Amino acid sequence: MGQAGQAAGQVTARPELLALLGRTPMARITVPLPHPHPGFWAKLEALGAGGLKARAAVAMLRGARERGELRPGAPVVESTSGTLGLGLAFAGQALGHPVVLVGDAELEPAVRALLRAHGARLELVERPAANGGWQAARIARLRRLLAELPGAYWPDQYNNPDNVAGYATMAAEIGDALDHLDVLVCSVGTGGHSAGITGPLRRRWPGLHVIGVDSIGSTIFGQPARPRLMRGLGSSIHPRNVRYDIFDEVHWVGPAEAVDACRRLARGCFVSGGWSTGAVALVAAWAARTRPGAVVATVFPDGPHRYVGTIYDDEYCLRHGIGVPERPPAARPLEIPHPRAVEATGWTRCRTVVDPLRETA
């Protein structure tokens, strides 16, 4: 029997695991990245069970159960580049659902091993789709699995409003930890956590300035789709959970800049992470430096462990033209007037934010 068929077996619910969800600490980051800055706050989601997306995974499965879309003990099938997969593995154990995940050939071996160790069944696609890249290829495989697994539920993280709702607890934790907040810096992939925390935090601090951070080569904010080295940040499709109206500006960051920030964080304050962490750290440090006196906060989605063979591996970085030792990024991003004006090939900023599916100018 294949992995998908095996996944229909029974999983004993462990509701006591839900007590481990969230309540992650915030750290004050002052290490130069690479330029000195007065410091910003970072929510350390790597220190919560299941990581950042465990919050969304639990919310999506609970919502589906309440609506009758997910029967007790039924399998859950989802596409993942890794982070949501770990969150779903946690949610599946806590709520008693077998989990089948569709990854791709670029999924790191360490993450494959972790997902399987936590009880998830992993299906891998070997080639990206001509249109939509790895994400489209994974979703095509996922649809076949849904037809093969009776009663299977697809959370559809990119378009599921429960993804957004799952981050209400994070917004409350940030609000309780800070007396004031001027600037919020959010990585954008599915759009879940940026949408989920911005609303509550803006209600508390109406003048909050929100910066979205995307990957070069991502289509989310209107740039052309290109192969992306960074995983978990950006998208080759247009997730419906992205709330374009909440962002005051968007920054695109390249892999060399994210690696530089990750390594400086690791050396300078022992707190680091993956591609998204490096990207938001670079932009948050810039925001703190260019807005004297402002309180700046961001979310570090995960820790460094799954990136030992990529971000923290000299040979990998050299092989992909990133460069070791790192070449410090510029002190400021390239400014462009519109997302379609110039293709971003490195750190780039745009204060015009558009929904590429709705606006043409």
Side-chain angles (χ1 to χ4, degrees):
M1 182 181 293
Q3 288 182 337
Q6 295 174 24
Q10 293 288 322
V11 173
T12 301
R14 305 289 183 189
E16 65 273 14
L17 292 176
L18 296 173
L20 305 176
L21 191 66
R23 292 187 290 278
T24 52
M26 294 190 74
R28 184 73 176 167
I29 307 298
T30 57
V31 61
L33 292 171
H35 306 282
H37 60 91
F40 62 88
W41 292 100
K43 184 79 163 155
L44 306 183
E45 286 297 282
L47 299 182
L52 167 77
K53 293 195 175 181
R55 299 179 191 257
V58 169
M60 289 189 290
L61 298 196
R62 277 178 159 171
R65 285 162 61 114
E66 290 170 2
R67 293 187 297 273
E69 298 168 3
L70 173 62
R71 299 195 314 270
V76 174
V77 183
E78 183 57 288
S79 159
T80 182
S81 61
T83 307
L84 180 72
L86 292 167
L88 277 173
F90 172 85
Q93 285 193 28
L95 300 176
H97 294 277
V99 173
V100 183
L101 299 171
V102 182
D104 57 59
E106 293 188 357
L107 188 64
E108 301 94 335
V111 181
R112 301 182 193 189
L114 276 175
L115 292 171
R116 289 170 173 144
H118 288 306
R121 305 294 182 179
L122 185 61
E123 296 265 334
L124 295 175
V125 296
E126 298 301 325
R127 285 184 293 277
N131 295 313
W134 287 115
Q135 281 171 306
R138 294 198 305 261
I139 290 172
R141 173 73 66 85
L142 181 151
R143 292 185 186 281
R144 292 199 296 271
L145 289 171
L146 287 173
E148 296 170 8
L149 292 170
Y153 172 70
W154 175 25
D156 190 9
Q157 60 168 321
Y158 301 103
N159 304 303
N160 188 333
D162 290 329
N163 179 347
V164 175
Y167 295 103
T169 55
M170 182 190 292
E173 291 166 20
I174 294 173
D176 290 343
L178 300 176
D179 295 326
H180 184 69
L181 183 60
D182 297 295
V183 181
L184 177 66
V185 179
C186 291
S187 60
V188 184
T190 68
H193 94 266
S194 56
I197 66 176
T198 295
L201 292 178
R202 269 222 174 107
R203 286 192 288 273
R204 185 163 185 164
W205 297 297
L208 182 64
H209 186 89
V210 180
I211 303 175
V213 180
D214 198 1
S215 165
I216 62 171
S218 166
T219 66
I220 292 178
F221 290 97
Q223 286 272 304
R226 298 285 184 264
R228 301 191 314 279
L229 188 63
M230 300 196 286
R231 298 179 66 79
L233 180 65
S235 178
S236 300
I237 60 177
H238 295 97
R240 290 201 299 270
N241 280 333
V242 176
R243 284 279 310 277
Y244 292 92
D245 59 306
I246 67 175
F247 296 105
D248 296 289
E249 59 184 273
V250 59
H251 290 232
W252 294 271
V253 175
E257 296 146 344
V259 165
D260 182 85
C262 284
R263 290 184 172 216
R264 290 178 189 276
L265 286 168
R267 287 196 304 267
C269 62
F270 207 81
V271 170
S272 193
W275 301 110
S276 297
T277 292
V280 296
L282 173 69
V283 176
W286 168 86
R289 190 173 69 251
T290 56
R291 293 171 173 259
V295 179
V296 179
T298 190
V299 177
F300 286 2
D302 59 8
H305 302 93
R306 67 175 281 194
Y307 307 97
V308 170
T310 54
I311 290 172
Y312 303 97
D313 185 276
D314 291 355
E315 291 184 5
Y316 174 91
C317 291
L318 286 169
R319 190 164 65 249
H320 288 87
I322 295 173
V324 178
E326 304 87 342
R327 179 183 301 170
R332 61 187 61 83
L334 172 70
E335 301 268 354
I336 62 174
H338 191 279
R340 297 186 187 88
V342 177
E343 182 174 348
T345 58
W347 185 16
T348 304
R349 177 194 188 201
C350 185
R351 284 177 277 186
T352 300
V353 180
V354 300
D355 179 342
L357 295 183
R358 296 188 178 186
E359 299 191 37
T360 58

